Amino acid sequence: MRRVGFTTTIPLEVLIAAGVVPIDLNNVFITHHDNASLIEDAELTGFPRNVCAWIKGIYGAVVQSGVTELIAVTEGDCSYTKALMEVLSLNGVHVYPFAYPAGREAVPLKKEIEKLMGQFGVDWDHVGEAKKRLDRIRAKVHEIDRLSWQEDKVTGEENHYFQVCTSDMNGDPDAFEAEVDAFIAAAAVRAPRHERLRLAFLGVPPIISGLYGFLEEVGARVVFNETQRQFSMPFGIEDLVEQYRAYSYPYDIFHRLADISREIEKRRIDGVIHYVQSFCFRQIEDMVLRKSIKLPIMTLEGDKPGAIDARTKIRVEGFLELLEDRD
Ligand code: SF4
């Protein structure tokens, strides 16, 4: 079956309507059994050391997985994507650029979606059917999110996993839906968890592993995963263009802040972890978040894949003590 990779969330409905297998290359990279080797491969090819590990991991994932078609989000995601696109084009990968308009205007966004539809030979009827199918699964993932913050029955890692997977539905929407159904059935009958502190996790998904589990060991749980939740299209909007205008990740920090502030209030958050990636331009946004969010914020920087290290654990424990002292 034809497989199409992408560098960040794109209108998935178009690929599902076209009957191709969608592949979020971030997920391929981070779940690879030896993801450090993908970064090394990219560095051996010539990627500089001071380039974000996700970009090198995506490059390695494309090469290793043999993907020959790629949708690259050139506006609204990563400042490195254009260069990545050029390198992959040279390697014979067919690249389809996709741009989220910086101003969130409906007309250019609709044009971008229709351009993609033309490239994959689908019309609005096909895309509408695909949206209904995806929205049914997304609604179930929203229920997992609700079970996290409202009923305290889901761990931070589980919340992260199911939401992050909605970007490509693990390449197989039916199988993913069955996994979601089984999880909800099991989670719904769990006893509520009793962590003392409720955290928000803002920023790109973490490259390090074990963070959520460690937080729970020391009495705190993430009940709001900002970006992962955005991948699940949380607003329940029927119109496809409006759905991708409401999706906050590709747009400016102030659009994101409106969503963050609402959810922090609703989910009774005690403190915020702002995760930033080494060499990522989004680190600059930390200044805006710190000025705009009234809760204590801990900025956590990750570089390469690997388990959470001792230094980070000590910093996290110090942050949680500070939160406890506020109560
Ligand atoms: S973490 Fe930042 S620099 Fe790295 S791929 Fe994502 S947006 Fe780009």
Side-chain angles (χ1 to χ4, degrees):
M1 216 166 155
R2 184 177 170 195
R3 300 181 310 145
V4 177
F6 47 88
T7 55
T8 187
T9 292
I10 42 94
L12 184 62
E13 289 80 355
V14 175
L15 296 188
I16 296 299
V20 306
V21 178
I23 301 175
D24 184 333
L25 294 158
N26 296 280
N27 297 351
V28 174
F29 160 55
I30 204 67
T31 59
H32 191 276
H33 66 279
D34 186 12
N35 42 25
S37 73
L38 300 183
I39 297 174
E40 278 165 28
D41 288 351
E43 287 179 352
L44 284 172
T45 307
F47 278 79
R49 213 201 63 76
N50 62 348
V51 162
C52 165
W54 282 102
I55 286 295
K56 290 183 276 196
I58 287 175
Y59 173 83
V62 171
V63 172
Q64 283 223 350
S65 64
V67 164
T68 56
E69 290 180 272
L70 170 76
I71 300 170
V73 175
T74 54
E75 298 288 337
D77 183 32
C78 179
S79 49
Y80 291 119
T81 303
K82 277 187 190 159
L84 175 70
M85 194 173 100
E86 288 158 2
V87 173
L88 288 170
S89 297
L90 269 183
N91 288 4
V93 175
H94 188 107
V95 179
Y96 308 92
F98 181 86
Y100 288 99
R104 293 181 55 236
E105 303 93 340
V107 173
L109 178 57
K110 188 174 183 203
K111 270 192 188 156
E112 280 294 305
I113 295 173
E114 287 180 334
K115 185 179 80 187
L116 200 62
M117 287 164 56
Q119 285 160 335
F120 286 89
V122 294
D123 61 22
W124 278 109
D125 287 342
H126 293 121
V127 169
E129 284 307 308
K131 180 166 173 14
K132 277 189 204 147
R133 182 178 171 205
L134 291 174
D135 282 353
R136 192 183 65 220
I137 304 169
R138 288 168 176 150
K140 293 178 183 182
V141 174
H142 301 159
E143 172 61 5
I144 294 176
D145 189 32
R146 192 194 66 76
L147 286 170
S148 303
W149 70 267
Q150 206 167 33
E151 295 199 24
D152 298 323
K153 291 180 174 176
V154 174
T155 68
E157 179 86 39
E158 290 165 340
N159 178 287
H160 158 86
Y161 169 76
F162 282 101
Q163 295 189 110
V164 92
C165 289
T166 54
S167 63
D168 66 357
M169 303 284 169
N170 281 351
D172 182 345
D174 292 341
F176 180 61
E177 185 174 19
E179 188 183 344
V180 169
D181 285 341
F183 179 80
I184 292 176
V189 296
R190 289 177 181 171
R193 304 179 60 90
H194 292 293
E195 287 84 7
R196 296 181 305 281
L197 296 167
R198 300 164 69 84
L199 301 179
F201 183 95
L202 310 184
V204 294
I207 204 163
I208 52 173
S209 55
L211 174 65
Y212 296 100
F214 175 69
L215 288 168
E216 283 154 23
E217 273 172 33
V218 289
R221 184 166 51 97
V222 171
V223 296
F224 175 41
N225 277 303
E226 182 218 351
T227 301
Q228 298 89 324
R229 171 173 168 271
Q230 285 298 316
F231 295 163
S232 78
M233 304 294 134
F235 305 114
I237 296 172
E238 255 183 53
D239 183 272
L240 188 85
V241 175
E242 288 305 311
Q243 171 177 291
Y244 286 99
R245 284 187 68 235
Y247 169 48
S248 67
Y249 177 76
Y251 305 112
D252 63 77
I253 185 76
F254 300 106
H255 182 52
R256 276 177 58 202
L257 261 174
D259 176 62
I260 291 168
S261 305
R262 197 170 45 238
E263 295 304 317
I264 280 180
E265 177 78 22
K266 188 168 91 178
R267 296 173 189 233
R268 293 173 284 111
I269 299 293
D270 298 302
V272 173
I273 292 179
H274 181 213
Y275 176 79
V276 295
Q277 181 66 36
S278 300
F279 310 116
C280 175
F281 70 97
R282 289 182 185 271
Q283 289 207 18
I284 299 166
E285 295 173 342
D286 194 60
M287 289 186 281
V288 182
L289 289 178
R290 284 183 174 276
K291 278 200 173 148
S292 312
I293 296 174
K294 299 301 168 218
L295 290 172
I297 300 182
M298 175 184 165
T299 304
L300 186 64
E301 181 173 340
D303 184 5
K304 295 194 169 165
I308 177 173
D309 59 27
R311 187 174 152 271
T312 306
K313 284 182 178 176
I314 291 167
R315 281 194 63 219
V316 166
E317 282 177 323
F319 179 63
L320 299 183
E321 274 169 27
L322 178 143
L323 295 182
E324 301 259 22
D325 289 348
R326 290 179 87 234
D327 289 342

